Amino acid sequence: MFNRTSRQAAAALASMSLLTGCGLFSDDEAEAAQKITVGTTSEPPTLDPAASWDNGWEMFRNVFQTLVAFPTGSSYPQPDAARQCEFADTSNQVFRCTLREGLTFSDGDKLDAAAVKHSFDRILKINVQGGPAGLLESLERVETRGDDTVVFRLKKPDATFPFILATPAMSIVNPAEYPMGKLRQDGKVNGSGPYELASYTAGDSAELTRNERYTGFADRRNNGVTIKYFKDSGTLFDALKKQDIDAIYRGLTSEQVVELEEKKPENEALQLVETVGADIRYLVFNPADPAAGQLAVRQAVAQVVDRDALVAKVYQGTAEPLYSMVPKGIAGHATSFFDQYGDPDVDKARAILEEQGIETPVPLTFWYTTDRYGSGTAAEFGELKLQLEASGLFEITLRSRPWKQFQAGYQKGQYPVFGRGWFPDFPDPDNFIAPFVGKHNALSTPYESPEITQTLLPQSRRVSNRAAVNKQFQRAQEIFVADIRLLPLWQGKLYVASTDDIAGGERALDPQTVMQMWELYRKASW
């Protein structure tokens, strides 16, 4: 990777700027220089945390607080709005948090135990389809003890509960602004996080300014952030080249990553930070569809798809083939789909279909979103269509929609086969299995698997040592292979591209792959 600045060098540069940068700018110029503009193709579909189990999280992490979160460098949730959290029993069924003193929302209203209880109760009461209530299926009730203590009583043992509390979906909201029985509709946001949302224009931008009432672990290294939303990766990348924006997170294509890595002369003023990613891409098969609902059809697709070719042609080394829903780097990772299907084999796929008397070519419609994961998604589905039709066994029709319409469609069960990505809620194998099973799951495509939901997940959640649950999750992946309701395709790497005067990119991504905007700063002005 080129133009990568070490943490020590970045610190030295920051120190030098304190000595040499003072007095070079007027107060207004200095303040403007300490603001950052970040571009992305990932716009929040909602501004209310009670409705979001997806890409609204960048906004929420920076504007709201959660009881616990992931400070830079941590792999286990640490106190945020809370000063202390812990299981209060030996069976992982009672979790207690004590709040920091003097917490307020950005408008000055008190943030107390009652506000925390309100935030969780409304998630469950509103119960948005495909929303974060699915993360709280183990929660029985929330209790308060005075103004500063919250007790979560769980229906069953759940050692992952601290990780769930750290997700931005569990943001603490002001009861005066967020009604119990419905979503907030005025287009405004106010929380207790490092920043305030000063303005938001759908499809264009969000302005974040420092929340002067903030009390938490974030050490803000800039004076504010503008988030610019782009419809496609081309205009996003052009904006970085023109330095209309300072940094990019989410939306770079593989070609753009390679271009930056090659350090072409026109990109000398740009830099790229690479981090290990746990984000995955996969296909979802709708069992209600006449074709996709047949196991043999799904097996044949799994037998034909060539992940190596897909990654090589479309992602050019910025991703790697994935053969389980649990990616590399997460405990419980396996190669279950490769173990079952091996290398792509058209003859084996044909035999599977013939044995069940299924006529070929099998017509299937594949849906994908045009703007959630970057412009490379269209090329990915073009390659899948090419592979499947080259086998002579399938006739593939491609359809696409922008994210909001795409999401509405799959939530209504309209798509026979559709592509999704998963950015982990937390770095634990549970989060790559549990969200996809059950009647009400994150995909809005019911997937009943009693062995997983009633045996394997409960067993694993009794175990506090998360490295000791491999057996349960490997078995869950064997079930995924047998059913092929989900077909993992690839695992990505994460990149932050920026102009070369921006530092902090290597510290900006937490274990949930959510950008902590406060880590970014301009070397010459901080």
Side-chain angles (χ1 to χ4, degrees):
M1 216 57 63
F2 72 91
N3 206 7
R4 187 179 282 175
T5 305
S6 70
R7 294 184 182 182
Q8 292 85 352
L13 284 168
S15 299
M16 290 173 60
S17 71
L18 289 174
L19 295 174
T20 63
C22 296
L24 296 179
F25 304 102
S26 68
D27 289 344
D28 288 344
E29 289 172 331
E31 182 176 355
Q34 292 170 10
K35 292 183 177 179
I36 306 294
T37 301
V38 176
T40 180
T41 59
S42 183
E43 182 179 4
T46 174
L47 297 181
D48 193 324
S52 180
W53 198 352
D54 50 46
N55 53 317
W57 283 13
E58 253 72 48
M59 171 80 75
F60 302 153
R61 172 58 75 215
N62 291 278
V63 176
F64 294 100
Q65 279 183 292
T66 46
L67 288 168
V68 294
F70 291 97
T72 299
S74 65
S75 58
Y76 191 85
Q78 304 297 321
D80 184 6
R83 61 180 173 83
Q84 182 179 9
C85 286
E86 60 187 355
F87 277 107
D89 65 343
T90 58
S91 63
N92 295 334
Q93 284 187 260
V94 180
F95 196 76
R96 182 175 59 214
C97 291
T98 304
L99 298 177
R100 294 176 184 263
E101 294 182 4
L103 284 175
T104 67
F105 294 100
S106 60
D107 60 4
D109 286 355
K110 186 177 181 180
L111 193 166
D112 56 12
V116 176
K117 175 176 168 57
H118 173 88
S119 301
F120 283 84
D121 287 350
R122 75 185 290 268
I123 290 173
L124 294 173
K125 183 175 180 61
I126 297 173
N127 194 20
V128 171
Q129 182 180 11
L135 287 168
L136 295 174
E137 56 91 23
S138 65
L139 178 62
E140 180 178 352
R141 67 182 184 276
V142 184
E143 301 172 351
T144 61
R145 295 179 182 173
D147 285 345
D148 68 346
T149 302
V150 184
V151 178
F152 298 90
R153 295 197 179 274
L154 309 183
K155 303 171 187 174
K156 50 194 173 183
D158 189 356
T160 72
F161 195 70
F163 292 91
I164 293 169
L165 291 184
T167 65
M170 304 300 137
S171 296
I172 303 168
V173 300
N174 188 343
E177 302 290 345
Y178 293 82
M180 175 59 70
K182 61 181 180 178
L183 297 176
R184 185 172 182 175
Q185 301 291 346
D186 62 3
K188 298 180 180 180
V189 169
N190 68 299
S192 60
Y195 299 97
E196 296 182 66
L197 180 63
S199 65
Y200 175 76
T201 303
D204 181 64
S205 64
E207 293 287 344
L208 306 185
T209 58
R210 289 169 70 104
N211 174 13
E212 300 303 333
R213 300 179 187 271
Y214 170 68
T215 302
F217 64 75
D219 179 15
R220 293 164 295 191
R221 309 198 68 183
N222 57 62
N223 275 349
V225 178
T226 299
I227 307 173
K228 295 286 292 182
Y229 301 113
F230 292 81
K231 295 297 183 184
D232 65 82
S233 299
T235 53
L236 172 66
F237 194 44
D238 286 344
L240 181 67
K241 288 181 174 181
K242 296 174 183 176
Q243 299 192 25
D244 292 335
I245 60 176
D246 299 308
I248 290 175
Y249 177 54
R250 296 210 197 283
L252 285 172
T253 65
S254 57
E255 291 84 2
Q256 291 163 353
V257 170
V258 170
E259 181 179 333
L260 290 173
E261 288 177 330
E262 291 175 349
K263 198 180 179 181
K264 295 182 178 181
E266 63 269 27
N267 296 329
E268 286 185 352
L270 305 180
Q271 61 181 333
L272 188 71
V273 173
E274 175 188 323
T275 60
V276 177
D279 60 313
I280 66 174
R281 299 294 186 276
Y282 55 96
L283 294 177
V284 183
F285 294 92
N286 187 343
D289 180 73
Q294 297 184 70
L295 177 60
V297 171
R298 303 195 298 271
Q299 290 174 328
V301 172
Q303 189 65 74
V304 169
V305 168
D306 188 337
R307 293 170 177 81
D308 287 328
L310 177 67
V311 168
K313 292 180 181 180
V314 179
Y315 293 105
Q316 304 177 49
T318 63
E320 55 185 314
L322 182 64
Y323 295 94
S324 78
M325 291 298 288
V326 179
K328 290 181 180 179
I330 300 294
H333 169 71
T335 56
S336 307
F337 276 87
F338 185 83
D339 297 342
Q340 176 65 31
Y341 292 98
D343 293 322
D345 192 317
V346 173
D347 291 337
K348 287 183 179 179
R350 182 178 294 107
I352 291 170
L353 295 172
E354 288 178 349
E355 183 177 350
Q356 296 300 316
I358 297 174
E359 294 184 3
T360 58
V362 179
L364 286 171
T365 300
F366 281 31
W367 284 83
Y368 64 92
T369 178
T370 57
D371 58 355
R372 170 67 172 102
Y373 310 117
S375 302
T377 307
E380 174 183 339
F381 276 76
E383 173 63 19
L384 288 171
K385 173 182 170 70
L386 183 67
Q387 291 181 12
L388 292 168
E389 291 190 338
S391 71
L393 303 177
F394 299 96
E395 182 179 297
I396 305 298
T397 300
L398 297 182
R399 294 282 185 269
S400 61
R401 287 176 175 172
W403 173 254
K404 288 185 179 180
Q405 294 96 313
F406 175 80
Q407 184 182 45
Y410 77 69
Q411 287 179 345
K412 295 176 183 176
Q414 294 177 348
Y415 308 149
V417 185
F418 59 97
R420 280 296 312 269
W422 186 250
F423 305 104
D425 302 323
F426 49 87
D428 187 277
D430 186 289
N431 194 236
F432 293 90
I433 301 294
F436 308 124
V437 294
K439 185 176 181 180
H440 303 289
N441 60 42
L443 302 171
S444 300
T445 306
Y447 179 11
E448 301 289 350
S449 180
E451 184 179 353
I452 294 178
T453 57
Q454 298 175 24
T455 301
L456 298 176
L457 290 176
Q459 284 179 354
S460 72
R461 289 171 179 175
R462 296 188 187 101
V463 181
S464 297
N465 179 8
R466 303 308 292 162
V469 294
N470 286 1
K471 180 180 178 181
Q472 288 86 355
F473 289 108
Q474 288 178 357
R475 171 58 188 154
Q477 292 174 80
E478 291 173 359
I479 295 171
F480 277 5
V481 172
D483 295 341
I484 317 187
R485 291 287 305 279
L486 308 164
L487 185 65
L489 296 173
W490 56 269
Q491 172 180 353
K493 301 174 183 178
L494 296 177
Y495 298 92
V496 176
S498 69
T499 55
D500 60 6
D501 65 332
I502 298 297
E506 74 282 356
R507 294 171 55 85
L509 304 183
D510 71 8
Q512 299 162 311
T513 71
V514 174
M515 178 170 274
Q516 302 178 136
M517 301 289 184
W518 59 82
E519 293 286 0
L520 299 176
Y521 65 96
R522 200 176 306 278
K523 299 173 190 174
S525 65
W526 196 255

